[in-house]
Amino acid sequence: MADLLINEQVNIPVGNISLIGDLVVPENAKGLVIFSHGSGSSRLSTRNRFVAEHLQRSGFGTLLFDLLTPEEDQNYDNRFDIPLITQRLVDATNWVLKDERLTNYNIGYFGASTGAASALGAAAALGDMVKAVVSRGGRPDLADAVLPDVQTPTLLIVGGLDEPVLSMNRDAQDRMQCLKDLEIVPDATHLFEEPGALEMAAQLATDWFRKYLQASKQHPLKQDQP
């Protein structure tokens, strides 16, 4: 892996609470990918961390953060409160945009399961502030109302044996008006537990971000600096 510019735990203020995140940015990063995990999971999700490490080795920064506080997570309904977790993702994105260390990086989202619905919702809300979205085993049906509003290039990755979710993703692809693609990982189920399945999903995600997250952007406040 390339040398790391940033590798730290961060606190993201959201209203009167703070959410814990893990921020890793390699030197000369090609962009920053913010993760939105599925219900019942957290920033410690082994699958998302596997994808994040793959992205880091490919030169992308990553931010994995808890969408809910431990107390909020005790309420099962909060895990499926898509408007709530979508707003948390928007707030985390705005926090990134205010961090002077991160303003040169274009932002992408990686959403898993219900987290994909929040990624699509946040992308619809933020418009061209988000350059790419990848969904793994996502539930885009939970963001159905905003799917036509998403303008961000979006990749939907689904296991070939995850038939109900595959059907949901096909329907979502039809409703979306943006540049979009659906990739099916053969013989994979919802959690991509089969040998090689998660590796394939991680590589598909990396290729998408390589294509749509440009190397950097020049922040206006930094243009005049020597």
Side-chain angles (χ1 to χ4, degrees):
M1 185 185 296
D3 291 337
L4 297 180
L5 188 65
I6 303 171
N7 183 12
E8 64 186 35
Q9 188 172 100
V10 296
N11 292 296
I12 303 170
V14 176
N16 60 353
I17 65 167
S18 183
L19 302 173
I20 298 174
D22 295 319
L23 177 66
V24 177
V25 181
E27 288 188 354
N28 303 311
K30 302 171 184 176
L32 178 67
V33 179
I34 304 175
F35 281 68
S36 185
H37 58 75
S39 61
S41 189
S42 72
R43 76 184 195 285
L44 303 178
S45 161
T46 55
R47 294 174 185 84
N48 280 353
R49 285 191 169 268
F50 179 91
V51 174
E53 289 168 6
H54 191 284
L55 287 168
Q56 292 158 17
R57 288 193 298 272
S58 301
F60 291 95
T62 62
L63 172 63
L64 295 95
F65 75 103
D66 293 333
L67 294 163
L68 302 170
T69 66
E71 294 74 22
E72 290 172 333
D73 194 53
Q74 295 301 309
N75 182 343
Y76 186 79
D77 290 341
N78 284 335
R79 300 179 180 184
F80 292 89
D81 188 338
I82 302 303
L84 172 64
I85 62 175
T86 298
Q87 187 58 51
R88 294 284 168 87
L89 183 55
V90 169
D91 290 341
T93 305
N94 286 327
W95 175 84
V96 165
L97 293 170
K98 292 175 183 175
D99 189 321
E100 291 186 355
R101 302 173 301 169
L102 307 176
T103 50
N104 274 4
Y105 304 124
N106 283 329
I107 292 173
Y109 288 154
F110 183 94
S113 191
T114 52
S118 68
L120 290 166
L126 294 175
D128 63 4
M129 292 167 64
V130 181
K131 303 301 182 184
V133 174
V134 174
S135 159
R136 175 184 62 80
R139 291 288 309 275
D141 56 300
L142 297 177
D144 185 69
V146 302
L147 290 180
D149 300 325
V150 177
Q151 300 302 312
T152 306
T154 299
L155 175 64
L156 307 170
I157 305 173
V158 187
L161 300 181
D162 193 10
E163 294 180 4
V165 173
L166 179 56
S167 177
M168 294 171 189
N169 277 261
R170 289 192 196 279
D171 291 343
Q173 184 185 25
D174 289 341
R175 283 180 47 74
M176 297 175 74
Q177 305 299 313
C178 58
L179 193 155
K180 69 233 172 162
D181 199 3
L182 173 64
E183 290 279 4
I184 299 172
V185 177
D187 302 321
T189 52
H190 185 61
L191 295 180
F192 293 79
E193 294 176 304
E194 295 71 23
L198 194 57
E199 287 87 346
M200 183 174 177
Q203 188 58 54
L204 288 168
T206 300
D207 291 343
W208 192 260
F209 289 127
R210 278 184 177 142
K211 192 170 184 179
Y212 295 106
L213 276 191
Q214 297 179 8
S216 67
K217 60 185 178 181
Q218 186 63 46
H219 192 270
L221 295 179
K222 295 192 175 183
Q223 286 180 344
D224 297 329
Q225 293 184 5

